[in-house]
Amino acid sequence: MFAAQLNAPEDLELVEKATPTAGPGEVLLKIEANTMCGTDYRLYTGAKTAGVRPGVVPGHEIAGRIAEIGEGVDEIVPGLEVGQQATVSIVVSCGHCRNCLNDREHLCVNLELFGYAIDGGLQEYMIVPERALRRGNLITTSAELDPKALCLAEPISCCLNGLDQFKVDAGDTVAVLGAGPIGLIHAQLALASGAKHVFVSNRGEDRQEVANRLGATGVHPDELAERIGEVTDGAGADVVIVCIGAPDLANDALELAAEGGRVNYFAGFPKGSTSQMEPNLIHYKELQVTGGSNARRRDVIRAIKLLEKGLINVEEIVTHTFPLSKVADAYQAVNDRLGVKICVVPDALYEG
């Protein structure tokens, strides 16, 4: 089979290797699609190296189908069948550290991640190891999904983890800073939660138009505060979600928020970056400020249910597809911000 292999920063190659078989306690997935995010490109450039194994197969937004079930798997996860559609919750947690024991498995201090330490979805077949099965990381669907939709279970699950922290109530005004895939998913979740106004800021008009088609309001960042003021009588946004890792946005978000508002720094910022912030904005406005990183297994299950109900517009998010043989072009497309989100599929499934 063919697989992408990240040997070192900026050393990604397409290799041919033996198709694996499911050993005892393992499940073999036939990969049907893998979408990509900005983090994948950061792994490629070396901007992010923590937990990355040299020679790993990248890819953590995975859609596959059970191709083989190893000996003893039925005792670990009863009821699995060959042909079932499946994905993985990418955080393989230890189950015994402080975070795991306090319902923060996604922040496990001993975590391993698919696409970082464990071979991910940029290959034709992928092994789900026994330790991941025992932790419940293999998740099957209850209704057939387009593989491109199932890939989105991972980013949606992360957004749901963030949403649990800052909440969106019926009638809220929400500001989403950034119209990338994550920002557009957050906008859809806010609308589904009953928000009255959802503004999505982005400098490019193309992404603003995507936000408009999803039912939100796309605006230029320079106009955002004015537009929010118009619908809130100058009060500000009930919720502000930062979906671009730009340090200057940290204080902008506090300024946009209404008194008693919630601000979430969802995007990852460059390592070592700092921001100048006015703490009195938090103090006098009594703001709730949270972060958001990764997701729990249950978040992935919730994300799949949303997709099965058709509550997320997949076509507006996954806009371009590349065959696995052109994986280098797919990485370049991510860097060039082609469309919204890039998908890679095995060559046999590529339709051009």
Side-chain angles (χ1 to χ4, degrees):
M1 70 170 187
F2 287 102
Q5 184 170 290
L6 184 61
N7 301 312
E10 299 194 16
D11 182 5
L12 178 80
E13 65 174 330
L14 187 68
V15 300
E16 187 173 1
K17 58 184 182 180
T19 301
T21 58
E26 298 178 339
V27 166
L28 180 68
L29 288 185
K30 180 179 175 62
I31 299 300
E32 295 185 333
N34 187 104
T35 52
M36 301 178 68
C37 75
T39 301
D40 289 304
Y41 197 79
R42 291 171 65 199
L43 265 60
Y44 168 72
T45 63
K48 186 175 181 67
T49 58
V52 180
R53 173 176 57 82
V56 72
V57 175
H60 60 273
E61 299 179 3
I62 299 163
R65 200 170 296 274
I66 296 176
E68 187 181 358
I69 299 172
E71 180 183 354
V73 167
D74 192 56
E75 298 175 5
I76 303 170
V77 186
L80 293 181
E81 297 179 0
V82 171
Q84 279 183 297
Q85 194 176 40
T87 186
V88 292
S89 177
I90 72 165
V91 179
V92 182
S93 56
C94 70
H96 55 75
C97 72
R98 180 178 183 274
N99 283 336
C100 284
L101 295 175
N102 284 281
D103 194 33
R104 290 189 292 269
E105 66 180 58
H106 56 305
L107 303 179
C108 172
V109 299
N110 302 305
L111 64 76
E112 292 180 286
L113 296 171
F114 279 92
Y116 290 62
I118 305 170
D119 285 346
L122 289 177
Q123 55 183 333
E124 294 183 76
Y125 289 87
M126 184 187 88
I127 288 289
V128 181
E130 181 178 354
R131 62 190 181 279
L133 288 178
R134 291 192 179 279
R135 289 296 294 153
N137 286 77
L138 179 68
I139 299 173
T140 58
T141 62
S142 58
E144 191 73 13
L145 289 171
D146 184 317
K148 295 177 185 178
L150 183 54
C151 288
L152 295 186
E154 195 281 330
I156 293 170
S157 70
C158 296
C159 292
L160 288 171
N161 171 50
L163 181 62
D164 284 345
Q165 297 179 63
F166 57 79
K167 307 294 184 185
V168 173
D169 298 322
D172 274 351
T173 294
V174 178
V176 179
L177 309 189
I182 288 296
L184 295 171
I185 290 171
H186 268 302
Q188 293 183 74
L189 293 177
L191 289 166
S193 299
K196 185 176 182 180
H197 301 285
V198 178
F199 294 98
V200 182
S201 67
N202 200 80
R203 295 192 179 279
E205 292 184 1
D206 288 349
R207 294 285 181 90
Q208 292 177 31
E209 292 172 1
V210 174
N212 292 337
R213 291 197 295 270
L214 292 173
T217 301
V219 299
H220 191 280
D222 294 343
E223 301 172 358
L224 182 59
E226 181 181 353
R227 296 294 298 277
I228 292 172
E230 289 172 354
V231 300
T232 63
D233 294 326
D238 300 292
V239 177
V240 184
I241 313 166
V242 180
C243 297
I244 304 174
D248 289 348
L249 294 180
N251 200 66
D252 291 349
L254 303 180
E255 292 177 340
L256 290 167
E259 293 176 348
R262 287 92 72 196
V263 174
N264 182 262
Y265 298 129
F266 188 86
F269 292 82
K271 186 177 181 179
S273 62
T274 59
S275 299
Q276 275 199 322
M277 300 169 65
E278 187 179 348
N280 272 340
L281 290 170
I282 301 173
H283 174 70
Y284 286 110
K285 287 187 176 184
E286 297 189 352
L287 300 179
Q288 299 176 37
V289 181
T290 57
S293 179
N294 287 334
R296 302 167 180 82
R297 291 162 294 176
R298 67 168 180 262
D299 298 321
V300 179
I301 295 170
R302 292 163 63 199
I304 290 173
K305 289 180 179 178
L306 288 176
L307 289 163
E308 290 174 343
K309 292 177 180 178
L311 294 178
I312 300 296
N313 187 322
V314 176
E315 295 302 318
E316 291 285 3
I317 303 296
V318 184
T319 56
H320 291 74
T321 303
F322 290 80
L324 181 59
S325 60
K326 301 290 186 182
V327 66
D329 293 342
Y331 270 82
Q332 188 60 48
V334 172
N335 186 51
D336 293 342
R337 299 184 181 181
L338 177 67
V340 179
K341 182 175 273 293
I342 303 301
C343 182
V344 176
V345 302
D347 285 51
L349 300 177
Y350 181 67
E351 297 178 354

